[in-house]
Amino acid sequence: SQVMFKFLRKVEEDPDGGKALPAEGGGQIAMFALKSGGKKDVVAYDDVADIPEHDELLTASGHPSFAVPEVQHQQVAAVRQGHAALLLATDEFSRSVEYLSLRQRLRSKFADVREAIATPTVLLSLYSQTASHGKHVDRRDDEDPLSRELFQTQVEKGIRARCTDIHIVIMEDAPTAVVLHRIDGLICLADRIPQVHALAAVGVAFNKLADKGTRSDGTFIPGRHQYAKIPVVVDGDSYNLRFQSLAVAGGLRVVLRTLETSKSKNSDAKTFEQLGYSRDQCRQLHNGSRRTKGGIFIAGPTGSGKSTTLKTMMMSSPTRHRRIQLTVEDPVEYKIFGAGQVSLQRSAKDEGDADMNAAMRAILRCDPDELMVGEIKDPEMAELLEGFILSGHKSLTSVHTTSAFEIVTRLASKKLKVSRDAMEARNFLTLLIYQNLVPVLCTKCRIPASQASEEQFPSSTRQALRDIFKVNPDCMFVTNECGCEKCSFKGTIGQTVVAEVVAPDDDMRMRFGSGQYAAAEKKWRRSRKAAFDEEDCTGKTALEHGIYKACVGMIDPVVLESFTEPFESYQVVESSKE
């Protein structure tokens, strides 16, 4: 805003200096920035709709005088506006020898050559629009280079922004596709791309860039749900993109989950402490890691870090170098050093789990000591795992539920059919874990509760914290949505676990065997030893773990509420000591 104010003041003082580079047509005001090297102020376009009306794209392929190589289409472009030329380039390219050479050639023909900064997406969109209108373009059916460049640009932008998921929303009735980023668990608008070019980019990614053995279909079909794995390299680090397309009414959504695979950064798992578990929870998790038999079950919503915790559990075993660890996953997301990992790829149309079950039967004949299964999905899989655990082996797996105790309910349901006798057995259930991930506040720009507005921290939420949890909301902090340089202007910097960890005792197992799941949970919650503003999480739910983290200023209580449930309707179970 300060840069914009300086420009508007300059235009007011010198109207001729401003009207030379108008921002037209897009409904957005072009941002202005001072180029390095002491040059005068120049326009910086971040939306192709703001590019002024022009007669032709001078640098398009096939132009006799000013065409640039396709590899430079995301770096530079020049358009003719009557008897003048407008030269656009990324800030980095504008300092290159190639840029200076192009500018000199333009000046040899045009008396007035204006300069502006543009993003790679704007430049690619400009070439795409020109190609669709047929202006000085060497028409070719193969537009792969341009589509690859756009796809790579969007992926690089997302990964550099710490994005875990890149969403590309392409709707038939919209001229532009929307690119969304999930950063620290929250969705934000990242970019807009011409619809036609966005569709071409995701098509090329699926058809040409994906590992052939991972594609659910031979070719990309917008009207079908499709899956693939795409390897990419960004800033020297390797990633796998988990490509999932979803045909929706009136369009298409493509989601790219970013999974880092660089050996230097992925060889060691994070510790439980680094993930955000409390000290008492870490003790239980380490005890579970040392066990050589029994089942460890983890639950949580999609994107809650279950795979990361499972990897940490396997790598935390002190005897893992003397044991055979095998996994069967759909597909493998993280490499686990020393473990034999079976990666399965099923068609999005395949609703069965025959391949997964066949892989599990094969693994059980390979003398494993420890087995990790990505997720239990059907009765046959549950039966195989039940037999494996009851035969004295160790297993780790995930289940989709909304709490630790609902894991038991899910296992005993008609969907999975695990016997109550098994759940009552002494060595069947070692740990029940539920976790979610919540954004961590940036300590440099977070806003103290005393300075927060009603919109940032509603009085009803403050009162619920006082009345229900008996904590002081005045000691808390909320998110600064403007952010700062430290957090890349997001207000948050990373995520932390809020969790509940249950190690079933004999009384709980007996209640599980008789179907008294709610009574078992109530007994566990009554074992709570600490107030909600104290760290000990014995008997505390994931929400209650989050309340403690809000009390110490780590997370925003309003955001915590949006990730869990409304505080006002939450029911606290009094501890046996209260």
Side-chain angles (χ1 to χ4, degrees), residues 297-574:
F297 298 84
I298 182 168
T302 301
S304 60
K306 299 187 295 295
S307 296
T308 301
T309 301
L310 285 171
K311 174 184 176 179
T312 302
M313 291 290 300
M314 292 191 72
M315 296 191 71
S316 297
S317 171
T319 59
R320 62 186 304 266
H321 61 286
R322 298 196 300 269
R323 295 166 56 80
I324 300 297
Q325 292 182 320
L326 300 177
T327 79
V328 55
E329 303 166 69
D330 180 23
V332 169
E333 292 189 0
Y334 301 105
K335 295 293 181 65
I336 302 174
F337 180 76
Q341 295 177 266
V342 177
S343 183
L344 297 180
Q345 173 57 54
R346 296 176 299 158
S347 169
K349 298 176 292 183
D350 182 9
E351 298 179 357
D353 293 283
D355 291 344
M356 179 74 80
N357 295 335
M360 282 187 64
R361 285 192 293 270
I363 282 177
L364 296 179
R365 293 192 293 266
C366 290
D367 188 33
D369 296 298
E370 189 171 322
L371 172 64
M372 192 267 276
V373 180
E375 181 186 349
I376 302 180
K377 297 182 178 182
D378 67 9
E380 183 180 359
M381 190 183 302
E383 183 180 6
L384 289 169
L385 202 65
E386 178 182 336
F388 182 72
I389 297 172
L390 291 177
S391 64
H393 296 83
K394 180 177 180 179
S395 181
L396 304 91
T397 190
S398 69
V399 184
H400 280 290
T401 69
T402 58
S403 74
F405 280 89
E406 285 185 15
I407 293 173
V408 182
T409 307
R410 174 73 168 170
L411 292 175
S413 69
K414 294 180 179 179
K415 175 72 174 178
L416 299 181
K417 299 180 181 179
V418 174
S419 69
R420 289 182 179 177
D421 288 342
M423 288 186 289
E424 193 174 359
R426 181 169 173 269
N427 289 312
F428 185 74
L429 297 175
T430 298
L431 286 177
L432 305 174
I433 306 164
Y434 172 82
Q435 71 174 53
N436 206 340
L437 292 175
V438 180
V440 175
L441 289 170
C442 174
T443 55
K444 186 175 181 180
C445 66
R446 62 185 181 179
I447 300 173
S450 59
Q451 300 175 17
S453 65
E454 175 67 16
E455 183 179 359
Q456 292 170 321
F457 200 171
S459 54
S460 59
T461 303
R462 296 174 189 256
Q463 198 60 44
L465 289 165
R466 290 191 181 96
D467 296 344
I468 298 174
F469 300 100
K470 304 298 188 292
V471 296
N472 179 16
D474 296 333
C475 70
M476 299 180 181
F477 293 80
V478 296
T479 309
N480 182 346
E481 294 186 358
C482 294
C484 64
E485 290 185 3
K486 179 181 178 182
C487 60
S488 300
F489 306 99
K490 299 296 181 184
T492 58
I493 187 162
Q495 294 173 282
T496 187
V497 161
V498 292
E500 50 204 53
V501 180
V502 181
D505 57 18
D506 289 339
D507 182 72
M508 280 189 202
R509 285 190 287 269
M510 182 180 68
R511 293 175 188 267
F512 293 156
S514 58
Q516 300 178 52
Y517 311 124
E521 180 178 11
K522 187 173 183 180
K523 178 180 181 295
W524 176 75
R525 292 183 66 182
R526 284 180 59 82
S527 69
R528 177 168 57 86
K529 301 176 182 178
F532 293 117
D533 57 359
E534 297 176 345
E535 183 186 8
D536 193 314
C537 285
T538 303
K540 287 184 182 179
T541 65
L543 184 151
E544 293 164 354
H545 185 194
I547 294 294
Y548 163 72
K549 291 194 171 185
C551 287
V552 297
M554 184 182 296
I555 63 177
D556 183 334
V558 179
V559 174
L560 170 66
E561 189 176 34
S562 70
F563 274 71
T564 51
E565 61 181 282
F567 295 157
E568 292 182 72
S569 60
Y570 185 79
Q571 293 186 347
V572 168
V573 174
E574 299 297 330

Side-chain angles (χ1 to χ4, degrees), residues 12 21 52 67 104 132 153 157 159 169 171 184 188 271 288 316 347 361 377 445 474 494 499 513:
E12 183 178 348
L21 287 172
Q104 186 62 35
S132 66
T153 297
K157 184 177 180 181
I159 289 176
V169 183
M171 304 304 292
D184 298 336
C188 61
T271 65
S316 297
S347 169
R361 285 192 293 270
K377 297 182 178 182
C445 66
D474 296 333

Side-chain angles (χ1 to χ4, degrees), residues 92-153:
E92 181 180 1
F93 192 82
S94 69
R95 295 188 289 270
S96 69
V97 174
E98 292 91 340
Y99 177 87
L100 297 176
S101 174
L102 176 60
R103 184 177 66 181
Q104 186 62 35
R105 285 187 285 127
L106 288 167
R107 286 177 175 175
S108 68
K109 182 172 182 179
F110 298 94
D112 184 8
V113 177
R114 306 158 190 172
E115 299 176 65
I117 297 298
T119 65
T121 299
V122 167
L123 294 168
L124 287 171
S125 299
L126 188 61
Y127 282 98
S128 177
Q129 287 184 353
T130 302
S132 66
H133 292 110
K135 297 179 181 178
H136 289 284
V137 175
D138 178 16
R139 286 187 172 276
R140 296 180 304 171
D141 293 332
D142 183 10
E143 295 184 355
D144 284 4
L146 192 62
S147 299
R148 287 170 186 253
E149 288 174 11
L150 178 57
F151 182 80
Q152 182 69 23
T153 297

Side-chain angles (χ1 to χ4, degrees), residues 114-299:
R114 306 158 190 172
E115 299 176 65
I117 297 298
T119 65
T121 299
V122 167
L123 294 168
L124 287 171
S125 299
L126 188 61
Y127 282 98
S128 177
Q129 287 184 353
T130 302
S132 66
H133 292 110
K135 297 179 181 178
H136 289 284
V137 175
D138 178 16
R139 286 187 172 276
R140 296 180 304 171
D141 293 332
D142 183 10
E143 295 184 355
D144 284 4
L146 192 62
S147 299
R148 287 170 186 253
E149 288 174 11
L150 178 57
F151 182 80
Q152 182 69 23
T153 297
Q154 290 299 326
V155 169
E156 290 176 356
K157 184 177 180 181
I159 289 176
R160 288 168 182 162
R162 300 185 292 108
C163 183
T164 57
D165 297 88
I166 302 170
H167 293 247
I168 303 173
V169 183
I170 306 171
M171 304 304 292
E172 295 172 356
D173 58 354
T176 58
V178 174
V179 181
L180 305 173
H181 286 175
R182 184 177 294 279
I183 301 173
D184 298 336
L186 303 173
I187 289 291
C188 61
L189 175 64
D191 208 346
R192 294 180 185 275
I193 308 172
Q195 181 207 90
V196 174
H197 208 64
L199 193 59
V202 297
V204 165
F206 186 90
N207 293 332
K208 302 294 181 65
L209 304 181
D211 285 340
K212 292 184 178 180
T214 69
R215 295 200 304 246
S216 56
D217 296 279
T219 58
F220 179 67
I221 303 173
R224 181 179 294 174
H225 310 322
Q226 294 180 300
Y227 180 95
K229 186 170 66 175
I230 303 173
V232 296
V233 176
V234 177
D235 299 330
D237 292 321
S238 300
Y239 296 83
N240 272 332
L241 303 177
R242 196 172 68 187
F243 178 110
Q244 178 67 61
S245 67
L246 182 69
V248 298
L252 171 74
R253 284 177 174 262
V254 174
V255 182
L256 306 170
R257 167 65 60 87
T258 63
L259 303 167
E260 188 168 2
T261 59
S262 296
K263 293 182 179 179
S264 60
K265 296 187 177 182
N266 201 38
S267 58
D268 296 321
K270 288 185 177 181
T271 65
F272 297 123
E273 292 83 356
Q274 290 171 331
L275 293 176
Y277 285 95
S278 65
R279 281 178 290 184
D280 59 287
Q281 290 174 336
C282 288
R283 284 195 296 272
Q284 290 179 304
L285 293 169
H286 283 298
N287 286 338
S289 297
R290 289 198 295 269
R291 292 282 298 271
T292 59
K293 53 189 173 184
I296 296 174
F297 298 84
I298 182 168

